[in-house]
Amino acid sequence: MASFLKMPAGNRPERPFTASWESLAGYTFPAWYQDAKFGIWAHWGPQCEPEYGDWYARGMYEEGSSQYKYHLQRYGHPSKVGFKDVIHQWKADQWDPVYLLSLYKKAGARYFFALANHHDNLDLWDSRYHSWNALKVGPKKDIIGGWAHAARQAGLPFGVSVHAAHAWTWYEVAQRADKKGPLAGVPYDGKLTMNDGKGTWWEGMAPRLLYAQDHPLSADSHDSSSIHRQWHWGNGAAPPSDAYCQNFLRRTIELIDKYQPELLYFDDTVLPFHPLNDIGLRIVAHHYNQSIQRNNGALKAVVNGKILDEMQRKCLVWDIERGQSNEIEPHPWQTDTCIGSWHYDKRIYEGRRYKSARTVIQTLVDVVSKNGNLLLSIPVKGNGTIDEQEIAVLDEIGRWMNVNQEGIFGTRPWKIFGEGPAISGAAPLSAQGFNEGKGKPLGAEDVRFTVKGNVLYATLFGWPDNGVACIRSLADGSMYRPESIRSVELLGGGATAFRRDTKGLHITLPENRPLHTYAMTVRIR
């Protein structure tokens, strides 16, 4: 973590950033972030309260969907019990951020992200500019303040993810009404005003401000799938008002100033409201400048953006959601993924369908070999706890890290990222990512490389049948490694016998197999 505490001179911009791509092109990727490689994300908010999966606050208004049916059964009809009422039931009464951060750090996390708001538009901090916040409704707690304190106590750089820019279109379903049944034609609660709340728990509040639905619908809003093709504010998406955009700006600047995160993630195409206005650019410039000011001239800040072009990838850290690049990227980038659904889903727990530690670790090694970081979400229940299956995944990741972390943290890509049948296994990216698990699975013939100084690390993704691993890229006379090889050691297992010929570097693995044969790292000098 030393590189986080002291930044080289190359990370000291000569002048403040301004809200333009030309200015942001002066950004230098912080060494601490390039060293860190692995972060954990608590993608936790009121949509975890029903424990019924992602985008619940939208799905509950889509007549006939599984979430709509679940909502009817558990809460009532959305004309009477809307998402505002789910927020009211969210108490987070067993949340212990210090304990959770201790688990994340033990698993090897080198930075931590917390959800600051989602498309459901509830700010999870003491928001001066938005009355629908977690201090006034729901848990009546400063969620971001609690996470920030716990992260800093654990010595982990703190990040926040901001998703609320799209509430404008995402919540349009709350303007609907059933098309059939006994309440057909009765509007849902999306346009309720303060005057409608007399005598209710939300008296004095305006649900319309939470749902951001005081505007005409987007084109094809009746088609629930239209939200995806309109995500970049095109294809007929209702343009957000200036007041809405300015309010988002004030809320986000307050979030940065009050909690001083070093990492900022936007769930938007490029940046919030891009390309409609410069709100996103203004936020990024402010974030970078604040980092320089509080770190004595050193820029330690990171901003994640999606679907970036080559120029924008010099200004921000490119984020690929649930997916991976298939080459060494020239600039640091990030995969963000989850072991289950983004919001806690008890059906995944009951079906034991979480990603395994093996999948997470193999993904991490593959991503790091290509100059990337992995941000992993561990779903949190509505009450603020994680379940025993998730704890087991974290525990196994931590045990693997205890042996193999030398080949992960502080490393850089080698001349090639790897070899083997899955070398070109990643499927093409779809929109912001979503090629995860669509390529060839990693196996015993696959290898991924990283380097630290003069030491090369090769991770093997399985135990060879004859107990001898062959790395073809390190064959005698290889253009990648023409130098002689002095020693080969299996991390956690000591020195191994090896020989080198024109077919490859042949490594005789020890008789006592390591615990995690699905990802074994060898140190090559």
Side-chain angles (χ1 to χ4, degrees):
M1 300 298 292
S3 58
F4 177 68
L5 300 174
K6 184 178 181 181
M7 193 59 51
N11 288 84
R12 302 175 187 273
E14 295 180 359
R15 55 186 177 275
F17 289 95
T18 58
S20 71
W21 290 112
E22 293 75 16
S23 175
L24 296 182
Y27 176 69
T28 302
F29 298 92
W32 80 260
Y33 180 76
Q34 296 181 68
D35 290 342
K37 306 303 181 188
F38 181 48
I40 286 183
W41 187 7
H43 192 280
W44 180 55
Q47 288 180 85
C48 297
E49 174 61 24
E51 299 184 358
Y52 210 72
D54 198 26
W55 281 27
Y56 183 91
R58 179 175 167 86
M60 58 162 283
Y61 293 108
E62 295 176 311
E63 185 179 12
S65 73
S66 63
Q67 290 173 324
Y68 170 90
K69 294 174 182 176
Y70 178 82
H71 191 82
L72 284 179
Q73 181 181 14
R74 177 168 175 177
Y75 298 105
H77 193 268
S79 65
K80 301 176 181 179
V81 185
F83 190 68
K84 67 183 187 308
D85 302 287
V86 176
I87 292 173
H88 183 56
Q89 294 194 32
W90 180 45
K91 303 307 179 187
D93 55 323
Q94 297 181 48
W95 175 52
D96 184 346
V98 172
Y99 167 70
L100 291 174
L101 262 294
S102 71
L103 294 180
Y104 303 153
K105 186 173 183 178
K106 185 178 179 183
R110 293 295 179 94
Y111 55 96
F112 170 74
F113 263 93
L115 182 79
N117 54 35
H118 199 252
H119 315 316
D120 59 36
N121 210 28
L122 181 73
D123 286 350
L124 302 184
W125 72 93
D126 188 9
S127 181
R128 176 182 177 186
Y129 301 103
H130 190 46
S131 57
W132 288 90
N133 67 69
L135 271 293
K136 291 187 176 180
V137 296
K140 306 290 183 67
K141 298 176 182 178
D142 186 350
I143 301 297
I144 294 301
W147 283 127
H149 171 77
R152 289 176 178 126
Q153 183 172 313
L156 298 181
F158 179 59
V160 291
S161 67
V162 176
H163 309 241
H166 278 285
W168 182 269
T169 51
W170 191 80
Y171 257 139
E172 285 185 3
V173 290
Q175 294 194 44
R176 295 180 182 177
D178 281 1
K179 293 182 178 179
K180 55 186 177 181
L183 294 175
V186 178
Y188 301 154
D189 67 334
K191 302 195 77 169
L192 293 177
T193 66
M194 189 180 299
N195 291 335
D196 296 313
K198 293 180 180 179
T200 69
W201 71 262
W202 49 274
E203 185 171 354
M205 305 279 286
R208 181 180 289 186
L209 293 179
L210 171 67
Y211 303 133
Q213 289 309 299
D214 190 16
H215 66 83
L217 296 172
S218 300
D220 300 322
S221 183
H222 62 280
D223 176 5
S224 292
S225 67
S226 65
I227 187 69
H228 301 290
R229 63 178 179 270
Q230 295 173 346
W231 199 252
H232 64 295
W233 299 105
N235 296 320
S241 68
D242 182 65
Y244 179 77
C245 296
Q246 291 298 324
N247 179 256
F248 177 88
L249 172 64
R250 288 191 293 270
R251 290 158 62 187
T252 309
I253 294 296
E254 178 192 49
L255 174 68
I256 294 168
D257 291 350
K258 183 174 288 188
Y259 301 99
Q260 301 184 350
E262 290 297 355
L263 304 111
L264 184 59
Y265 170 108
F266 287 118
D267 192 8
D268 299 272
T269 300
V270 186
L271 288 171
F273 309 116
H274 174 85
L276 302 180
N277 54 47
D278 68 349
I279 294 293
L281 291 170
R282 290 162 68 182
I283 293 170
V284 174
H286 181 79
H287 181 53
Y288 288 170
N289 290 334
Q290 288 297 100
S291 177
I292 294 168
Q293 181 176 332
R294 67 173 173 265
N295 292 306
N296 299 316
L299 176 56
K300 299 180 181 179
V302 170
V303 175
N304 296 129
K306 299 181 178 181
I307 316 181
L308 307 180
D309 62 29
E310 290 187 16
M311 181 274 293
Q312 292 162 348
R313 292 179 201 177
K314 298 176 182 178
C315 309
L316 314 170
V317 173
W318 178 34
D319 180 88
I320 301 177
E321 181 176 347
R322 289 194 185 270
Q324 295 140 245
S325 173
N326 200 36
E327 61 184 359
I328 297 175
E329 294 294 337
H331 306 293
W333 59 283
Q334 176 177 273
T335 286
D336 73 278
T337 191
C338 183
I339 67 169
S341 178
W342 286 120
H343 290 103
Y344 191 89
D345 192 333
K346 62 184 177 183
R347 295 167 295 181
I348 293 177
Y349 167 75
E350 291 167 351
R352 305 187 70 85
R353 291 187 284 113
Y354 287 124
K355 278 188 181 73
S356 66
R358 170 182 180 147
T359 297
V360 171
I361 290 164
Q362 291 189 338
T363 299
L364 172 67
V365 174
D366 182 64
V367 166
V368 170
S369 74
K370 300 166 184 173
N371 205 26
N373 286 24
L374 173 64
L375 177 61
L376 179 70
S377 174
I378 304 295
V380 181
K381 292 182 178 182
N383 64 14
T385 65
I386 62 176
D387 63 54
E388 76 279 1
Q389 293 177 30
E390 296 175 300
I391 292 173
V393 171
L394 288 171
D395 181 65
E396 186 172 343
I397 294 171
R399 285 185 282 122
W400 182 89
M401 286 286 194
N402 287 338
V403 175
N404 298 279
Q405 61 182 317
E406 180 184 330
I408 296 293
F409 301 129
T411 65
R412 296 294 183 269
W414 192 46
K415 298 173 184 178
I416 56 174
F417 69 81
E419 67 176 45
I423 192 73
S424 58
L429 297 177
S430 174
Q432 62 259 47
F434 300 110
N435 67 345
E436 178 180 84
K438 296 181 179 179
K440 297 177 182 177
L442 293 162
E445 296 182 56
D446 293 296
V447 183
R448 292 294 181 267
F449 301 109
T450 56
V451 67
K452 187 187 300 180
N454 294 324
V455 179
L456 177 66
Y457 298 93
T459 299
L460 317 173
F461 293 111
W463 192 270
D465 291 338
N466 62 357
V468 179
C470 179
I471 303 178
R472 296 187 301 278
S473 302
L474 297 178
D476 195 17
S478 166
M479 61 180 289
Y480 302 118
R481 185 81 172 199
E483 311 96 310
S484 62
I485 292 175
R486 178 163 54 88
S487 66
V488 176
E489 301 166 86
L490 178 67
L491 297 185
T496 61
F498 68 94
R499 63 181 178 87
R500 196 179 189 191
D501 59 24
T502 55
K503 293 184 179 180
L505 175 67
H506 306 270
I507 303 171
T508 301
L509 297 173
E511 292 184 5
N512 294 326
R513 296 192 182 194
L515 183 62
H516 306 105
T517 57
Y518 53 73
M520 304 173 291
T521 305
V522 293
R523 180 196 299 121
I524 301 167
R525 298 184 187 275

